[in-house]
């Protein structure tokens, strides 16, 4: 049986053609099937919609009124279908990413550039925050994907390691002589320490590691960004804990010096996370595929080397 929406679609085509036979050709139906469909619609509505003549059909007053609303409604449905197709083909849409400034700048930027090149009509929205804040953004639906400092313990999130990073201690010119020595973790306490703020996941990771080695730190400076930590160290305000991969420019230019400790801090990771139970949008899925493709190629290159 033809559904009510299909009946209205047939009605609209008949009204535009003023003919059952021409409508049948447009709809790839038989003329009797079109005629029967219109009789069914008239019966359900309890009113005559067409004046039937040997030369074709014309709308009754009631039919003309119904056509105005039907044509408008079907137009909106067609527009909605077109819009969904645009989302499916990624010719429109939005991708919301939660990420901190440092990870965005030193890790994520090439992926954002690649995605924008492939899908220039997708709007990118970045929401800045710490790891804990980004996890909350994901759970509240404010972002599709998050990029954070690992480790993260959260069973509701799908976690994927993207790259490993190394925490190190650095100093400026004032403390340069320390770079030629091997320092114990306790030796660090003799100098002003510069760390990220306590709510930072990377700060907590290093702090927990030092505590496991019997060293409790009380930094003189607790800052809100990695760039500020680097600048404070360059200005000789103390010894700073930084991420080596995000400090290469300062180290290569001789603005900062890496300190040698009795043992390296264990490496940690930057990772991607999103909710396990909520399907990703089309745009988010494509962005994940770009990340995964890059990771696969990187691993293959390392194995060949």
């Amino acid at each position: 049986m033809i559904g009510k929406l299909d009946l209205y679609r047939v009605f609209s085509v008949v009204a535009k053609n003023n003919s059952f036979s021409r409508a049948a050709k447009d709809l790839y139906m038989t003329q009797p099937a079109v005629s029967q469909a219109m009789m069914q619609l008239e019966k359900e509505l309890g009113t005559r919609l067409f004046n039937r003549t040997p030369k074709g059909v014309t709308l009754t007053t009631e039919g003309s009124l119904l056509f105005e609303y039907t044509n408008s409604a079907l137009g909106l449905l067609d527009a909605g279908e077109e819009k969904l197709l645009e989302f499916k083909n990624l010719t429109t849409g939005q991708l919301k990413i939660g990420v901190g400034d440092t990870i965005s700048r030193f890790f994520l930027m090439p992926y954002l550039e690649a995605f924008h090149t492939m899908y220039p009509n997708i709007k990118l929205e970045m929401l800045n925050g710490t790891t804990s804040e980004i996890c909350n953004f994901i759970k509240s639906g404010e972002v599709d994907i998050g990029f954070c400092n690992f480790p993260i313990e959260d069973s509701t999130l799908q976690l994927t390691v993207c790259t490993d990073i190394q925490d190190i201690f650095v100093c400026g010119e004032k403390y340069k002589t320390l770079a030629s020595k091997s320092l114990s973790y306790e030796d660090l306490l003799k100098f002003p320490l510069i760390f990220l703020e306590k709510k930072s996941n990377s700060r907590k990771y290093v702090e927990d590691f030092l505590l496991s080695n019997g060293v409790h730190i009380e930094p003189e400076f607790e800052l809100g960004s990695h760039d500020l930590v680097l600048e404070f160290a360059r200005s000789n305000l103390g010894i700073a804990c930084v991420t080596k991969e995000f400090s290469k420019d300062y180290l290569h230019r001789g603005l900062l010096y890496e300190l040698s400790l009795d043992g390296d801090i264990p490496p940690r990771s930057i990772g991607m996370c999103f909710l396990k139970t909520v399907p990703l949008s089309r745009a988010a899925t494509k962005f994940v595929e770009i990340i995964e493709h890059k990771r696969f190629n990187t691993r293959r290159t390392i194995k060949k080397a």
Side-chain angles (χ1 to χ4, degrees), residues 98-100 103 129-139 143 145-163 165 199-202 204-205 208 267-276:
V99 63
I103 294 178
T130 63
T131 292
S132 60
E133 289 170 340
I134 290 169
C135 289
N136 288 332
F137 293 157
I138 296 170
K139 293 176 184 178
V143 299
I145 311 172
F147 290 87
C148 309
N149 287 295
F150 283 11
I152 296 175
E153 299 293 335
D154 194 320
S155 60
T156 67
L157 298 179
Q158 178 69 45
L159 306 174
T160 303
V161 172
C162 294
T163 188
I165 53 177
K199 64 180 181 179
S200 162
N201 208 43
S202 53
K204 185 177 184 301
Y205 179 81
D208 288 347
R268 53 188 178 87
S269 304
I270 289 171
M272 173 174 60
C273 42
F274 49 85
L275 283 173
K276 291 179 179 178

Side-chain angles (χ1 to χ4, degrees), residues 50-66:
F50 294 103
N51 297 310
R52 293 162 174 82
T53 70
K55 295 182 179 181
V57 296
T58 59
L59 288 169
T60 62
T61 302
E62 294 85 352
S64 295
L65 177 64
L66 181 63

Side-chain angles (χ1 to χ4, degrees), residues 169 188-189 191-195 217-221 237-240:
F169 283 87
L188 296 173
L189 302 179
F191 307 97
L193 295 178
I194 308 168
F195 270 75
I217 61 168
E218 293 185 359
E220 276 71 15
F221 302 97
L237 295 174
I239 306 298

Side-chain angles (χ1 to χ4, degrees), residues 81-93 118-122 282-283 286:
E81 289 178 352
E82 288 179 9
K83 186 61 66 175
L84 284 177
L85 187 61
E86 288 178 2
F87 274 97
K88 183 178 179 181
N89 295 331
L90 295 176
T91 55
T92 189
M118 295 172 67
Y119 309 107
N121 295 318
I122 300 296
R282 179 80 169 166
K286 287 298 180 182

Side-chain angles (χ1 to χ4, degrees), residues 166-172 175 178-179 181 183-189 191-196 202-203 206-207 209-210 215 217 219 229-230 233 238-244 247 251 256-265:
Q166 180 68 55
D167 296 295
I168 61 172
F169 283 87
V170 297
C171 65
Y175 300 99
L178 295 176
K181 304 176 182 178
L183 304 174
S184 66
Y185 300 128
E186 290 81 2
D187 289 335
L188 296 173
L189 302 179
F191 307 97
L193 295 178
I194 308 168
F195 270 75
L196 286 170
S202 53
R203 154 75 181 272
V206 174
E207 193 169 22
F209 171 75
L210 292 176
V215 176
I217 61 168
V229 173
L230 291 170
I239 306 298
C241 181
V242 299
T243 303
K244 187 171 185 175
S247 310
L251 294 169
L256 293 176
Y257 304 91
E258 181 179 355
L259 302 182
S260 176
L261 300 176
D262 287 345
D264 290 336
I265 300 169

